[in-house]
Amino acid sequence: MVNFFDKSKNLEDKKMIAKIGAAHLKDGMTIGLGSGTTMAYFVEAVAERIKDEKLNVQFIPASKFIEKIAYDYKLKLVSIDQINEIDFAFDGADRIINKKILIKGGGGSLFREKIILLSAKNCLILADESKFTDIIEDFIVPVEIVPFGFTKTVRAIEEMGGYCFVRKNKEKILVTDNQNYIVDVKFSNVNDLVQLHKKLKLINGVVETGIFYNLEFKFITSSEKK
């Protein structure tokens, strides 16, 4: 199994960033929750605030992984279809390019994460310093695809110049919360990520890409200087 997204790095930074992020909560808010290890720490931090300060806050999780953790901490959960707008969406990122474009999907929840971020009035990205870069070099873009005819979809992506790895959980193909597959696509010498996203979305079988753009992000780091 190829693992492009090591979630075990910088855990202490992630815990600190999660606590800083949790300080942004206010009573009465509706909060979108992304997925991944940073968000797991964030859920723990907000649960502590809610318990100590008796805050009335409701949450929309982007993944079953985060939903279970939030449920275990007794957070109030609602469906995205039950609300009109999200006050703040908190999420992590696998890579942040020029503070304008995110590469996401290492946790396998990119489709739902994108819907939540697009539905939020404010997008707050919790990220350690290692995630920021100004240079586009060789990189991996997670792409969510439908299972039916997935080999044809993979072939079409490779014809664009990508080198595809169908993501697996142990020996089995990983299935997302939407019952789709994730393909981790390695690209080289790509100068325009927005155009890459648009071209990928034109391929039959592609549901969504891990390229996030055209959103106003605020970044929360351990120093909050970004």
Side-chain angles (χ1 to χ4, degrees), residues 118-179:
L118 287 169
S119 303
K121 292 189 289 184
N122 301 279
C123 302
L124 281 73
I125 306 301
L126 313 181
D128 63 75
E129 302 290 341
S130 68
K131 302 296 179 69
F132 292 86
T133 182
D134 295 327
I135 301 171
I136 303 175
E137 298 174 334
D138 291 354
F139 58 95
I140 305 296
V141 176
V143 179
E144 187 161 348
I145 65 174
V146 297
F148 184 79
F150 79 94
T151 58
K152 307 291 190 297
T153 307
V154 166
R155 188 176 304 126
I157 295 172
E158 290 186 332
E159 286 174 358
M160 280 182 54
Y163 189 65
C164 295
F165 302 84
V166 178
R167 194 178 299 180
K168 294 186 177 182
N169 182 10
K170 296 181 180 178
E171 297 303 316
K172 295 183 178 180
I173 294 177
L174 182 143
V175 178
T176 71
D177 291 341
N178 302 312
Q179 303 303 304

Side-chain angles (χ1 to χ4, degrees), residues 61-209:
S63 69
K64 292 180 179 179
F65 167 69
I66 289 298
E67 181 179 355
K68 182 181 185 307
I69 295 173
Y71 179 83
D72 289 344
Y73 276 105
K74 298 181 172 56
L75 300 188
K76 181 181 179 181
L77 302 179
V78 294
S79 165
I80 193 169
D81 296 310
Q82 293 177 291
I83 54 91
N84 293 321
E85 60 184 8
I86 299 171
D87 295 300
F88 284 88
F90 291 85
D91 209 340
D94 298 308
R95 204 158 182 192
I96 300 164
I97 301 164
N98 295 320
K99 302 179 190 174
K100 295 180 180 178
I101 298 177
L102 310 182
I103 302 293
K104 290 179 51 56
S109 301
L110 62 95
F111 178 74
R112 295 189 183 192
E113 288 174 327
K114 189 169 285 190
I115 288 178
I116 286 177
L117 286 170
L118 287 169
S119 303
K121 292 189 289 184
N122 301 279
C123 302
L124 281 73
I125 306 301
L126 313 181
D128 63 75
E129 302 290 341
S130 68
K131 302 296 179 69
F132 292 86
T133 182
D134 295 327
I135 301 171
I136 303 175
E137 298 174 334
D138 291 354
F139 58 95
I140 305 296
V141 176
V143 179
E144 187 161 348
I145 65 174
V146 297
F148 184 79
F150 79 94
T151 58
K152 307 291 190 297
T153 307
V154 166
R155 188 176 304 126
I157 295 172
E158 290 186 332
E159 286 174 358
M160 280 182 54
Y163 189 65
C164 295
F165 302 84
V166 178
R167 194 178 299 180
K168 294 186 177 182
N169 182 10
K170 296 181 180 178
E171 297 303 316
K172 295 183 178 180
I173 294 177
L174 182 143
V175 178
T176 71
D177 291 341
N178 302 312
Q179 303 303 304
N180 293 320
Y181 296 163
I182 296 286
V183 179
D184 294 311
V185 189
K186 185 175 182 179
F187 287 101
S188 301
N189 302 318
V190 174
N191 296 318
D192 192 331
L193 290 176
V194 173
Q195 286 303 311
L196 176 62
H197 162 81
K198 291 178 179 179
K199 289 179 180 179
L200 286 167
K201 287 294 293 282
L202 291 174
I203 294 175
N204 262 347
V206 169
V207 176
E208 192 52 86
T209 85

